[in-house]
């Protein structure tokens, strides 16, 4: 687990470097976050930085308040996740020197757990009705099968995929090119708000940071690395979605495409992808057959993933030990869950942090939302 000083330093570094800054990651590997941050107080550049670039980075390093950023994400019910944290998705390490310095995460679920069974659905912002229909259908069908739908919350295919997952109360993650407190694009503000409440918002950039063209491109590498596979639904020959798909290919991930009319320029990029290493898919069952475990040739239909599905067995037992009404003390909870009191207390605190429980003095009871999850 990352120490407090290291965490604060990494939070500060997300304001200094741009996403995917390979030199920054090499400095982190060599010196650690604390010493790297201190180095910006000197005129002498660290290895690999020109004096011009170093001056620009030092300019950004002035007047930083990472504690305020950490407080801001906490006020939103979020956190800053570092590479050594248990919530860190280890598949992001496949990006090598281009991996994120850290991730600002908003939402209750565990990013690592949701990413274990995740698929990216990306495509054109100016999609056709066909593209929007296919993206929404894939989003809802994948989520219904217990898969997390990952996209970028943009107009068009991205928004339709997220909306499809939300419609069945499934798991969905939006990887943003701005701070998780920002609604971009503005027209998807309501959608982004719902994802923050029901799913996860993820960003490399700290609260308040705005998107730029380059940040959208860099964001795509996180989508590609985070997921088991990427599905492209409608993309022109020059499309950011194809950048995501090619990055996924380079990382050894499965890359899939939904074919469209051969006369449609919006499907030309997908068809080019399918002429190479991309695989044709037409529905969620075919996607799961490719990215799922052995035996998932004809995936069994299941209900949407809910937060309690991601709990550890111990935490689930503790949650089940609490009655639908009333509160219990630690001794009663430990006895019902067949755990030592110290282990039961750890799980109770974990469940409270996730919003399942409330503490009333020395007794514990289900939160209202936990009652809703229990009844499903």
């Amino acid at each position: 687990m990352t120490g407090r000083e290291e965490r604060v330093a990494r939070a500060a570094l997300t304001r200094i470097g741009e996403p995917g800054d390979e030199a920054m990651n090499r400095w982190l590997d060599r010196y650690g976050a604390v010493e790297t941050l201190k180095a910006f107080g000197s005129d002498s550049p660290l290895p690999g930085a020109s004096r011009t670039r170093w001056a620009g980075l030092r300019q950004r390093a002035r007047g930083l308040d990472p504690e305020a950023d950490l407080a801001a994400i906490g006020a939103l019910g979020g956190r800053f996740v570092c590479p050594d944290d248990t919530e860190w998705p280890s598949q992001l390490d496949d990006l090598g020197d281009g991996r994120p310095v850290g991730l600002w995460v908003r939402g209750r679920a565990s990013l690592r757990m949701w990413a274990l069974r995740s698929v990216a659905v990306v495509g054109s912002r100016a999609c056709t009705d066909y593209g929007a229909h296919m993206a929404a259908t894939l989003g809802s069908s994948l989520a219904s099968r217990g898969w997390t739908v990952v996209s970028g919350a943009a107009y068009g295919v991205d928004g339709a995929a997220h909306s499809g997952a939300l419609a069945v109360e499934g798991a969905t993650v939006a990887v943003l090119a701005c701070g998780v407190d920002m609604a971009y694009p503005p027209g998807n503000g309501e959608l982004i708000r719902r994802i923050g409440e029901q799913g996860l918002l993820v960003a490399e950039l700290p609260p308040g940071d705005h998107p730029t063209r380059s940040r959208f491109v860099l964001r795509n590498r996180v989508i590609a690395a985070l997921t088991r596979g990427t599905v492209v639904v409608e993309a022109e020959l020059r499309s950011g979605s194809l950048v995501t798909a090619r990055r996924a290919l380079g990382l050894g991930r499965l890359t899939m495409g939904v074919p469209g009319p051969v006369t449609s320029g919006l499907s030309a990029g997908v068809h080019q992808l399918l002429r190479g290493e991309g695989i044709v898919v037409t529905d969620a069952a075919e996607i799961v057959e490719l990215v799922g475990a052995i035996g998932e040739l004809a995936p069994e239909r299941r209900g949407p993933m809910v937060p309690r599905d991601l709990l550890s067995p111990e935490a689930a037992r503790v949650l089940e030990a609490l009655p639908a009404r009333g509160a219990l003390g630690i001794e009663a909870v430990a006895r019902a869950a067949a755990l030592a009191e110290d282990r039961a207390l750890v799980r109770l605190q974990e469940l409270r942090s996730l919003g399942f429980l409330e503490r009333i003095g020395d007794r514990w009871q289900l939160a209202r939302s936990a009652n809703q999850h229990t009844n499903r």
Side-chain angles (χ1 to χ4, degrees):
M1 192 74 173
T2 304
R4 176 67 184 176
E5 193 177 6
E6 182 82 1
R7 184 179 305 280
V8 173
R10 279 185 175 265
L13 292 173
T14 64
R15 283 206 180 274
I16 298 174
E18 284 294 305
D21 189 328
E22 296 189 359
M24 183 74 74
N25 269 304
R26 286 192 288 270
W27 298 332
L28 285 168
D29 289 341
R30 182 171 179 179
Y31 306 110
V34 175
E35 292 305 314
T36 298
L37 182 61
K38 288 180 181 177
F40 290 110
S42 168
D43 287 332
S44 301
L46 288 175
S50 67
R51 289 201 167 274
T52 300
R53 180 161 187 259
W54 188 251
L57 293 174
R58 291 191 69 209
Q59 183 69 25
R60 281 188 170 185
R62 291 173 183 163
L64 294 181
D65 190 354
E67 292 285 5
D69 287 334
L70 292 169
I73 193 68
L76 294 170
R79 61 263 179 214
F80 180 60
V81 180
C82 298
D84 290 335
D85 291 346
T86 55
E87 191 181 353
W88 182 261
S90 59
Q91 60 267 41
L92 290 178
D93 298 337
D94 292 347
L95 291 169
D97 288 340
R99 78 174 181 176
V101 170
L103 290 173
W104 301 86
V105 180
R106 184 177 179 182
R108 292 182 175 180
S110 164
L111 176 61
R112 184 181 69 85
M113 294 298 292
W114 273 20
L116 289 175
R117 281 172 59 89
S118 65
V119 176
V121 180
V122 298
S124 174
R125 288 173 171 79
C127 66
T128 64
D129 289 343
Y130 163 78
H133 170 75
M134 287 303 303
T137 300
L138 291 178
S140 60
S141 298
L142 286 166
S144 294
R145 288 166 165 80
W147 286 79
T148 301
V149 177
V150 179
S151 199
Y155 294 132
V157 167
D158 287 19
H162 288 305
S163 296
L166 291 172
V168 295
E169 300 182 2
T172 190
V173 176
V175 182
L176 306 179
C178 56
V180 294
D181 58 337
M182 307 289 291
Y184 194 90
N188 277 354
E190 176 61 19
L191 173 64
I192 293 169
R193 182 193 65 78
R194 289 179 60 206
I195 296 171
E197 292 177 352
Q198 296 178 231
L200 289 172
L201 297 174
V202 178
E204 293 179 79
L205 298 159
D209 253 18
H210 293 267
T212 63
R213 184 181 296 274
S214 64
R215 288 173 174 178
F216 282 113
V217 175
L218 291 165
R219 177 270 310 272
N220 293 341
R221 82 194 196 289
V222 176
I223 294 176
L226 192 63
T227 52
R228 298 270 289 271
T230 293
V231 184
V232 184
V233 182
E234 289 196 326
E236 295 179 286
L237 289 171
R238 293 187 63 182
S239 167
S241 302
L242 295 182
V243 173
T244 307
R246 290 174 183 132
R247 198 63 191 261
L249 280 170
L251 291 167
R253 309 292 196 265
L254 281 160
T255 303
M256 298 153 277
V258 177
V262 295
T263 54
S264 172
L266 279 173
S267 288
V270 179
H271 297 157
Q272 183 186 62
L273 179 70
L274 295 176
R275 290 183 64 195
E277 297 182 63
I279 302 171
V280 173
V281 290
T282 60
D283 59 22
E286 293 175 354
I287 295 170
V288 172
E289 182 176 356
L290 291 167
V291 301
I294 294 174
E296 291 190 85
L297 297 178
E300 179 181 334
R301 292 191 178 272
R302 53 176 291 180
M305 183 182 290
V306 297
R308 69 174 297 148
D309 293 335
L310 302 171
L311 296 176
S312 67
E314 270 192 9
R317 292 212 313 271
V318 170
L319 182 60
E320 289 167 1
L322 273 294
R325 290 184 175 82
L328 294 179
I330 180 64
E331 182 180 354
V333 173
R335 183 169 58 252
L339 290 173
E341 289 189 17
D342 60 340
R343 294 295 301 169
L345 181 59
V346 168
R347 295 308 180 189
L348 285 167
Q349 292 169 336
E350 175 186 329
L351 290 165
R352 181 174 65 170
S353 71
L354 292 171
F356 286 97
L357 303 181
E358 297 172 349
R359 185 171 185 172
I360 311 297
D362 60 352
R363 297 168 71 81
W364 301 79
Q365 68 181 27
L366 291 177
R368 183 174 301 175
S369 60
N371 275 302
Q372 293 170 352
H373 296 318
T374 301
N375 292 333
R376 289 185 181 177

